[in-house]
Amino acid sequence: MYKIILLPVDLNEEGFSHVAAKHACTLAKISGATIHLLNVLPTSQLPMVSAHFPASVLQEIRKSAHTELQAFAKKHIESGIPTQIHMMEGKPSKEIIKAANKYEADLIVMPSHKRAKLELAVIGSVAARVVSSASMSVMVVKPQ
């Protein structure tokens, strides 16, 4: 069924990302798939961030995010499921699509956050952009 499942998570929204992880784990167990856990940092792509922080601070942010992603995997990805951890930097929707293509994912499982309609109209939705741009299937897990 699936061989590679990409699971992008927003570590700032961990309260809901674990639900998407649960779905990805269930599908991975059924299919014998590998989960590629992904976090996208916007740091270096935002000129204001890069201009105001020295490279050492940005490196510390990357290191901290990687540690948090490892902790997320340990807590929310069931043992026995092959898992790879990836960090990328840039615009989340573009980096998710790039990672899905790079790792040859057959499925993307991602959370969608409840947001006001006005907020969605102004900033758009990462999940909506991924669904419209992805060449593979995307499962969007909605909050309960």
Side-chain angles (χ1 to χ4, degrees), residues 63-81:
K63 184 178 176 183
S64 175
H66 191 267
T67 300
E68 286 181 49
L69 192 58
Q70 287 176 319
F72 181 93
K74 187 174 184 176
K75 184 175 181 181
H76 298 293
I77 305 298
E78 296 176 30
S79 63
I81 296 175

Side-chain angles (χ1 to χ4, degrees), residues 32-109:
T34 297
I35 293 178
H36 286 253
L37 188 61
L38 172 68
N39 180 248
V40 179
L41 292 173
T43 51
S44 68
Q45 300 300 314
L46 298 174
M48 292 187 333
V49 173
S50 296
H52 288 83
F53 293 104
S56 61
V57 171
L58 293 175
Q59 187 59 31
E60 193 58 38
I61 290 170
R62 291 178 188 111
K63 184 178 176 183
S64 175
H66 191 267
T67 300
E68 286 181 49
L69 192 58
Q70 287 176 319
F72 181 93
K74 187 174 184 176
K75 184 175 181 181
H76 298 293
I77 305 298
E78 296 176 30
S79 63
I81 296 175
T83 305
Q84 294 186 24
I85 295 176
H86 308 284
M87 298 289 302
M88 297 181 87
E89 294 184 36
K91 187 175 180 180
S93 57
K94 287 184 179 181
E95 296 304 318
I96 291 167
I97 296 297
K98 195 184 296 183
N101 290 326
K102 179 178 180 178
Y103 303 118
E104 299 179 348
D106 2 60
L107 177 67
I108 301 171
V109 177

Side-chain angles (χ1 to χ4, degrees), residues 12-25:
N12 294 322
E13 300 278 347
E14 184 184 332
F16 184 61
S17 291
H18 75 282
V19 177
K22 191 174 190 175
H23 285 274
C25 287

